[in-house]
Amino acid sequence: MTKARHLWTLALLTAPLAQAQGVDAFARQYPDITSALSSALADQRSDPKRSLADIDRARALFANVAPTLGTSPLAGGIRDALQNARIAIARSPVDLEAQTTQVRGLLRKALHDESLEALGRAETSGVVGVGVLADDVGMKGAARARVVSAARANDVDRVRLLFERVALNKIRSSLDAVNPASRAAAYLETARATSWFSLVQDSPRAGDLNSRDFVAALQSLTAGDTAAFTRQLSDLRASVARFTQAAQRSNTAQPVTVPAQPSTEPAASPPSTAPAATTPAAPTAPATPTAPAASPSSVDALFAPLGLALTASGHGDLSGAREQITEAFRVLNALPANVRSTPEATALAQDLERFSASAPIRVNDVRALLGSASNLQRAATNAAPSALDATSSGVARVWTGWLSGLVFIVLALLAFYPLYLLNLAFGGRNPYWRAIGAALTLLLLPAMLEGVASIGSLLHGLTGAGFFGFLTNLSLFQHPLGQFVWALSLAFAIGLSTWGLRGICMQFGLLARRGPAEPARAQAAVEWDEEL
C-alpha cells in the first residue's frame, strides 16, 4: 500500500514536468517545421522532389513532438494537413500554399493552446512558447514586449486577447483582399483567413462565427458558385467586423498595432493556366461539414485527362501523359469527401500520386488507371465493381515501373543467348538452319523490342528527356501498328521455320523428296536419330 502511494505521488510530481518539457520541445521545433514548409513552397517549381523532401522533413520534425502534445485532436489534424500538403506538391503552387497555410494555422493553434495551458500552471515554458508564437505572427518591438510581459505575469487572458487582435487583423486583411472574379487568388486569400481563424476559433467573442463558415465559402468557390461565395464572403466580413469590435471593447489588454498582411506565408505566383483548371480542393479544417453526395457526372470528369494520358503515352509523349495524370489527380481530390474516402478512390489516389511523380509510365499503366476510375464510377452509383478491372489494377501496382522494366530488359538480353547457341551448334552455311535462326529471331523480337522500350521508359523517368520517351514506341504492345507488325513477324517466323525444318527433314530422309526414293537415306535417318 505504501509503495502504491509513493508511485502515485511520483506520477503527480512528474506529470507537470513532462508537460513543461512538451511545450519546450514544441517551441524549439516550431521554427524548423515552419522553415521546412516555406522551403517546400520555394522548391516546388524548380525541384518537386526536393519540395517533397521538405514536407517529409516537416512531418518527421512534428512526429518528434506530437506525442508530447496534450491537444491530440489538433495533432491528428496537423498530420492530416501535412499529408494533404504532400499530395498538393503534384498540383499547382496555389494548392500547395493553401495546404501549407492550413498546416501553419493548426501549428499556431497547438502552440497557442499549449503555451496558455503552461502559463495557467505558472510554468516558464509557457513564456518560451508565447515568444516563439509572437515571432511567428509578426509581433515586433513594443507589441512583442507587451505579450511577453503578460506571459511572464501569467496573465492568460491578456495574452489570449493580444494574439486574438493580431489574428483578427490578419483575417480582415485577407478577406478584404478577396476578389471573387479571380478564383485562384480568392481561394488562396480565403484559405489564409481560414488559417488565421484557427488560432481564435475558441474565443468567447467569436459569436456565431465558426470554421464551418469559412469551409463552406471555400467549397462554393471550388464548385464555381460565385454568387453563393459572394454572399458568404459578405457574411464572413460582417462577422469578423463584429468579432473585432468585441475584441477592441475588451478592457483586458491595450490595442496592438501590427502590419496588415494577408499572411506570413511566402507568396505564390498565380497559376499559369485558367483558374477553373487549377482551383484546388478545400483544405481540411477543424470542423468540416458533411460532404455532398456524389453523382456519376462528377466522377466522369476523371476520364477526360486519363483518356488524354492514354493517347499521349500511346505515341511516346510520357511528359504529356504525366501532366494529364497529374490533372486527373487534381480532379480526384476535388470530388466530394464521401467519394474520396471510398477504398476505390484511395487506391486510385495512390496510383495517380505515384505516376504524377517520377514513376515510369507505360500504356498498360494508364489502362489500369482507367479501370480503377471505372470501378470508382461504379461505386459512386452503388453498382458492383468489375472483378477484372480490380484484379488488373492490383497486378499493375506490382507489375509496373522498375520491376517490369528491369525484367523485360533482362529477358531481352537473354534472348540473344539461344541464337548464339544455335549458330555455334550448326553454323551459318546451311540455308535451312539459317532460316530456322531467322524464325527464332522473329519469335523473340517482341521481347527484344520490349526491353529497348523499357530502357526508354526508365531513363525518361530519371531524366525527363523526350528521346527516351520516344523509345517506348518500339514496343509491339504500344499501339495497333505494333500489333500489325507483330502479326506480320509471326507470319514470317512460321513460314521460315516451316521451310527450314522441312528442308532439314528432307536432308535426313525423314520426308520423301520428289522423285525416286533413295534407300540409303533411310538408314542415314535412323543413324542421325539414334545419335540425337
Side-chain angles (χ1 to χ4, degrees):
M1 189 71 177
T2 304
K3 182 178 181 180
R5 187 184 301 112
H6 288 165
L7 292 174
W8 177 250
T9 304
L10 180 61
L12 291 176
L13 292 174
T14 56
L17 176 60
Q19 292 171 334
Q21 290 175 342
V23 179
D24 279 335
F26 191 18
R28 286 195 303 270
Q29 295 278 26
Y30 188 92
D32 295 333
I33 298 173
T34 56
S35 175
L37 295 174
S38 299
S39 297
L41 276 175
D43 294 334
Q44 184 193 19
R45 286 185 179 275
S46 60
D47 191 349
K49 290 184 179 179
R50 187 172 180 180
S51 180
L52 185 64
D54 293 330
I55 293 294
D56 288 340
R57 178 160 56 91
R59 295 173 69 188
L61 290 170
F62 178 73
N64 293 334
V65 298
T68 66
L69 299 181
T71 53
S72 56
L74 272 176
I78 293 170
R79 281 191 290 266
D80 292 342
L82 283 168
Q83 176 62 22
N84 291 338
R86 194 177 191 275
I87 295 172
I89 292 174
R91 303 198 296 262
S92 69
V94 173
D95 289 281
L96 181 58
E97 183 166 1
Q99 297 298 338
T100 54
T101 297
Q102 181 66 16
V103 175
R104 295 190 69 163
L106 296 176
L107 286 170
R108 291 189 195 101
K109 177 63 175 173
L111 182 58
H112 173 273
D113 290 356
E114 290 295 314
S115 299
L116 294 191
E117 288 179 9
L119 291 178
R121 298 188 297 267
E123 296 170 359
T124 56
S125 60
V127 179
V128 176
V130 167
V132 171
L133 186 59
D135 294 334
D136 185 64
V137 302
M139 298 177 71
K140 300 178 181 179
R144 188 185 188 283
R146 191 177 298 119
V147 73
V148 172
S149 176
R152 288 172 177 164
N154 294 325
D155 192 343
V156 175
D157 292 334
R158 179 179 173 84
V159 172
R160 188 192 309 275
L161 186 57
L162 288 171
F163 281 128
E164 192 172 292
R165 288 174 173 172
V166 173
L168 286 170
N169 283 342
K170 303 283 189 179
I171 297 170
R172 189 173 63 253
S173 183
S174 290
L175 293 179
D176 289 344
V178 172
N179 179 12
S182 177
R183 292 179 59 192
Y187 172 84
L188 187 53
E189 291 295 347
T190 308
R192 287 169 174 167
T194 306
S195 171
W196 283 108
F197 182 74
S198 301
L199 185 63
V200 297
Q201 62 182 352
D202 298 331
S203 172
R205 290 171 285 273
D208 57 354
L209 182 63
N210 57 63
S211 60
R212 288 188 294 273
D213 300 328
F214 289 89
V215 175
L218 285 168
Q219 289 178 335
S220 297
L221 184 61
T222 55
D225 192 347
T226 306
F229 173 72
T230 303
R231 290 193 302 271
Q232 292 164 329
L233 177 62
S234 178
D235 293 341
L236 285 173
R237 287 170 174 168
S239 298
V240 170
R242 291 192 294 270
F243 191 175
T244 303
Q245 291 174 359
Q248 294 295 342
R249 285 196 301 267
S250 176
N251 295 323
T252 307
Q254 298 297 320
V256 180
T257 302
V258 295
Q261 301 177 23
S263 173
T264 59
E265 324 288 346
S269 302
S272 56
T273 55
T278 58
T279 303
T284 306
T288 305
T290 303
S295 64
S297 59
S298 62
V299 182
D300 287 347
L302 283 169
F303 291 97
L306 288 178
L308 293 174
L310 183 64
T311 302
S313 62
H315 53 73
D317 183 11
L318 301 189
S319 297
R322 199 179 306 280
E323 290 176 2
Q324 293 301 326
I325 290 175
T326 301
E327 174 64 16
F329 192 28
R330 186 198 66 79
V331 172
L332 178 63
N333 282 280
L335 294 178
N338 59 334
V339 180
R340 299 197 309 270
S341 61
T342 60
E344 293 82 4
T346 302
L348 179 57
Q350 293 173 350
D351 294 338
L352 292 173
E353 181 182 8
R354 185 175 72 254
F355 288 117
S356 296
S358 60
I361 301 175
R362 300 297 300 275
V363 171
N364 288 337
D365 297 324
V366 184
R367 290 191 184 120
L369 293 175
L370 282 166
S372 298
S374 177
N375 272 349
L376 176 59
Q377 184 185 47
R378 289 171 175 267
T381 57
N382 296 322
S386 168
L388 179 60
D389 285 339
T391 303
S392 299
S393 300
V395 172
R397 292 186 188 100
V398 179
W399 184 249
T400 188
W402 284 92
L403 176 60
S404 62
L406 291 176
V407 168
F408 276 115
I409 291 172
V410 172
L411 290 177
L413 294 174
L414 292 177
F416 289 95
Y417 190 61
L419 299 176
Y420 164 75
L421 294 178
L422 180 64
N423 183 71
L424 184 65
F426 300 102
R429 289 175 295 179
N430 191 318
Y432 298 123
W433 284 117
R434 288 202 302 268
I436 295 173
L440 184 57
T441 301
L442 290 174
L443 290 176
L444 294 174
L445 182 63
M448 298 176 185
L449 294 179
E450 193 67 25
V452 177
S454 297
I455 292 174
S457 176
L458 296 179
L459 291 179
H460 181 275
L462 293 174
T463 65
F467 169 75
F468 295 124
F470 179 77
L471 290 179
T472 59
N473 289 323
L474 296 177
S475 172
L476 298 182
F477 309 104
Q478 185 83 351
H479 36 63
L481 177 61
Q483 294 183 3
F484 173 75
V485 173
W486 185 26
L488 203 61
S489 68
L490 285 176
F492 277 108
I494 293 172
L496 289 171
S497 60
T498 301
W499 182 76
L501 290 172
R502 186 176 184 277
I504 295 297
C505 290
M506 291 176 63
Q507 283 183 347
F508 289 102
L510 298 177
L511 290 177
R513 292 179 180 269
R514 292 182 180 180
E518 299 181 10
R521 290 291 184 184
Q523 180 65 27
V526 173
E527 293 175 356
W528 175 79
D529 191 38
E530 290 174 351
E531 290 176 2
L532 289 181

